[in-house]
Amino acid sequence: MKKTILILIVIISNCNDILSQTPHLKGEVKISILNGTIESDLEYSNLPKLTNYSICLNVGLNIRYFRNAADNYNYVFNKYYDGDKRDEAFQYYFPTKDKKIRFLPNDFKINYTGKFPVVNDTLRTSDSGDDKGINAFNGKSLRATEQSVWYPVLNDIDNDVTLDKVTYDITIKCEDCKTIYLNGSAPVNGTSANFKSDKAVSLMLFAGLFDFNKNKNTYFINTDLNREQENEFGNWTDNIVGFYEKKLKMKYGSPVTFIYSTPITKKSGWMFVTYPSIAIIQPEKYNMKTFFNESTNKIKNISMMEYISHELGHYYFGTVFCPNSDLRSFFSEGLTEYLALQTTKEVIGEENYKKKIESYLKSTKDFIPKPLSIVKANEVDNTFRYYYAPLLITALEKEVGKEKVWNWLRTILNSDKQVKSDYEFFKNTLIKSGITEKELKAYEDKYILSENSKENVYNSVK
């Protein structure tokens, strides 16, 4: 039977750059991978002055208290759920007598606890559904991310900004663990470790019964790869990063950390990035060693690196530039997939590029796109962001030339972080990058506003 690897590429990430202050987390977190528990006693500090905000925390976590920083009284708080905005979390705030204004102290203490299912046998689970918003206990590890909001995350409602990046001084305790990893720090062998970072990052926590290895500056966590396989994977990564640096004229950030884990559903296979970590979630029979030819230690299916190139591209569109507003997914996923498409053509090979274009066309065959000019955030679904968006940008490339598109991408990366990334931003950055108003109008009329826009896109890219 032909082995199939199903991969869904996911990122939900935002920048704190829009606001001048970066939140800081300090305290202790206790977890048990066998019992599926998370207990946290934290101080959340250096918070900006906001009057319209919410504090997000996973729906499976129960508040014991919010207290002032001096620890001598509790804050009264309100709690609500808004699945349209954040389906993984309850949202909390401190009310004032004026219901239009919410009180937010500069710092406060928060204590909470929760228990989650431990899925060490997927016999009775769904085929799919594992995603980044789940605090995933598989019996051997815990995988938690900024999207699963296992730690408090401040949401600035007025500016549509989620401040999931924090500096931290956190002690993680896990008596039934062998290794603990917190994003932005080196993994540690042991049942307890103190992690500190003065650089703000989104917090991915991975702890459990696994080993890790460091190859040059890259950590490989729970991958079970040998040295030659690590070198092969690392060399491809370096080639892709080098291509991005050359084309975008911007140095890549710190080296990435690769993590492997099994899903908590039967067949889920996917990847995600919480920079600088790239997680590969695959059933055990498709673990990372199966990516390689056993006799040569070379990657068997080079198309695997197309997915890795997408995740690596999220450093630029997802970390350097953090979109918001209705086109957030178009910019974060669509442009990153376009980067991966160009990597496929220039680094992996022309034949793979043609196959990738064909896969986009096949995946959008029955898709009815809503014009980019009026589409809402919840209408930019997986088909739009992963398959149709790169076709739209490829059509732009056919009209104005590839170098102008690269210059547009560079313009976006260097744009004002406080501007909403909506359709006006889309048009303004195109003009600012050197595309003429005449070229923009021609592109807009043909590929966005026309009743035959999808047909025109297809004819352009074939």
Side-chain angles (χ1 to χ4, degrees):
M1 183 175 71
K2 184 179 179 181
K3 182 172 73 176
T4 302
I5 299 176
L6 304 174
I7 298 185
L8 172 66
I9 308 168
V10 176
I11 177 171
I12 295 183
S13 182
N14 295 280
C15 280
N16 299 354
D17 299 343
I18 294 177
L19 298 172
S20 59
Q21 287 180 264
T22 299
H24 180 74
L25 272 180
K26 181 178 181 179
E28 181 177 279
V29 177
K30 294 180 181 179
I31 62 176
S32 170
I33 61 169
L34 298 180
N35 296 321
T37 56
I38 300 175
E39 299 178 64
S40 296
D41 188 14
L42 300 168
E43 182 174 334
Y44 199 27
S45 62
N46 199 41
L47 303 178
K49 295 184 183 299
L50 298 175
T51 57
N52 191 19
Y53 72 91
S54 65
I55 300 159
C56 301
L57 200 65
N58 189 277
V59 293
L61 296 169
N62 303 294
I63 297 291
R64 183 173 285 117
Y65 58 72
F66 288 101
R67 289 177 68 81
N68 69 319
D71 200 23
N72 53 24
Y73 63 84
N74 287 4
Y75 287 116
V76 175
F77 64 90
N78 286 347
K79 167 186 174 182
Y80 65 97
Y81 179 76
D82 186 349
D84 291 334
K85 295 292 184 181
R86 195 83 189 239
D87 61 5
E88 305 93 350
F90 285 122
Q91 301 190 47
Y92 302 83
Y93 67 91
F94 306 129
T96 62
K97 290 182 180 180
D98 183 349
K99 295 182 179 180
K100 295 180 180 179
I101 298 176
R102 302 178 180 190
F103 166 66
L104 181 64
N106 181 66
D107 52 7
F108 61 84
K109 294 182 180 296
I110 179 173
N111 187 291
Y112 56 88
T113 184
K115 184 174 175 61
F116 299 86
V118 178
V119 185
N120 49 20
D121 184 350
T122 59
L123 181 63
R124 295 184 178 181
T125 65
S126 301
D127 283 353
S128 59
D130 191 351
D131 64 42
K132 197 180 180 185
I134 295 173
N135 290 318
F137 290 87
N138 65 6
K140 294 182 179 179
S141 65
L142 160 63
R143 164 176 39 94
T145 72
E146 77 283 3
Q147 188 179 330
S148 72
V149 277
W150 65 275
Y151 62 98
V153 171
L154 184 63
N155 179 38
D156 176 2
I157 296 173
D158 287 338
N159 289 309
D160 193 20
V161 175
T162 301
L163 285 81
D164 57 38
K165 292 180 175 64
V166 298
T167 57
Y168 59 81
D169 180 357
I170 301 176
T171 296
I172 309 288
K173 294 183 177 180
C174 180
E175 291 300 323
D176 47 16
C177 287
K178 178 182 176 182
T179 302
I180 305 171
Y181 171 71
L182 187 63
N183 204 41
S185 295
V188 175
N189 282 324
T191 58
S192 178
N194 176 245
F195 299 94
K196 294 182 180 182
S197 177
D198 293 327
K199 182 178 181 180
V201 295
S202 303
L203 295 188
M204 176 184 178
L205 172 62
F206 188 57
L209 304 174
F210 52 81
D211 295 312
F212 65 88
N213 188 42
K214 187 176 183 181
N215 190 329
K216 297 179 182 177
N217 293 317
T218 300
Y219 283 101
F220 291 84
I221 300 178
N222 196 37
T223 62
D224 200 29
L225 301 181
N226 62 40
R227 204 68 175 176
E228 286 186 58
Q229 292 166 341
E230 289 176 352
N231 288 336
E232 167 80 350
F233 211 74
N235 288 339
W236 272 105
T237 298
D238 290 344
N239 288 339
I240 294 166
V241 167
F243 174 71
Y244 288 157
E245 290 181 330
K246 178 182 177 181
K247 292 297 185 180
L248 296 172
K249 297 182 174 21
M250 182 180 290
K251 292 292 291 182
Y252 204 79
S254 57
V256 298
T257 293
F258 290 105
I259 298 170
Y260 166 75
S261 186
T262 57
I264 56 172
T265 49
K266 287 189 182 72
K267 298 179 180 180
S268 291
W270 56 296
M271 296 184 188
F272 70 83
V273 59
T274 298
Y275 182 79
S277 298
I278 293 178
I280 299 168
I281 313 301
Q282 292 281 90
E284 179 58 38
K285 62 181 177 180
Y286 301 141
N287 65 42
M288 284 187 67
K289 289 189 74 69
T290 66
F291 299 171
F292 296 85
N293 185 304
E294 291 183 8
S295 60
T296 65
N297 288 316
K298 299 296 183 183
I299 292 176
K300 286 190 292 189
N301 184 359
I302 206 62
S303 63
M304 169 59 60
M305 300 316 298
E306 297 172 15
Y307 300 109
I308 296 298
S309 64
H310 179 107
E311 301 305 333
L312 289 168
H314 270 309
Y315 169 72
Y316 294 102
F317 295 99
T319 303
V320 174
F321 174 72
C322 306
N324 54 22
S325 195
D326 285 325
L327 296 188
R328 71 172 74 217
S329 294
F330 171 83
F331 282 107
S332 65
E333 296 297 347
L335 296 194
T336 302
E337 184 60 15
Y338 178 78
L339 287 185
L341 177 64
Q342 295 309 304
T343 303
T344 300
K345 187 173 187 178
E346 302 294 335
V347 180
I348 297 175
E350 183 73 29
E351 191 60 35
N352 287 69
Y353 172 81
K354 292 177 181 177
K355 289 179 181 178
K356 202 167 182 68
I357 290 290
E358 285 300 319
S359 72
Y360 294 156
L361 296 174
K362 182 178 180 181
S363 296
T364 57
K365 180 180 178 182
D366 299 320
F367 177 62
I368 302 175
K370 198 164 185 176
L372 199 66
S373 56
I374 60 173
V375 71
K376 299 300 181 184
N378 61 358
E379 295 170 324
V380 186
D381 60 10
N382 284 344
T383 301
F384 199 125
R385 68 187 74 169
Y386 294 120
Y387 306 112
Y388 192 68
L391 289 176
L392 266 179
I393 307 308
T394 302
L396 176 65
E397 172 194 315
K398 301 292 185 180
E399 293 294 321
V400 302
K402 186 173 291 187
E403 185 49 44
K404 283 191 176 182
V405 175
W406 280 115
N407 197 46
W408 175 54
L409 298 179
R410 292 190 288 266
T411 300
I412 294 171
L413 291 175
N414 290 287
S415 63
D416 183 352
K417 301 298 188 293
Q418 298 188 40
V419 176
K420 286 190 175 182
S421 44
D422 53 16
Y423 189 65
E424 284 304 308
F425 175 82
F426 171 79
K427 293 196 297 181
N428 290 339
T429 50
L430 284 170
I431 294 297
K432 189 176 180 180
S433 69
I435 291 172
T436 67
E437 291 190 11
K438 182 179 179 181
E439 288 173 324
L440 173 57
K441 187 177 187 307
Y443 173 77
E444 195 177 22
D445 289 345
K446 186 175 181 180
Y447 301 106
I448 295 176
L449 303 179
S450 170
E451 292 182 357
N452 301 315
S453 58
K454 178 182 169 182
E455 181 182 348
N456 293 336
V457 168
Y458 274 29
N459 290 336
S460 176
V461 302
K462 285 182 179 178

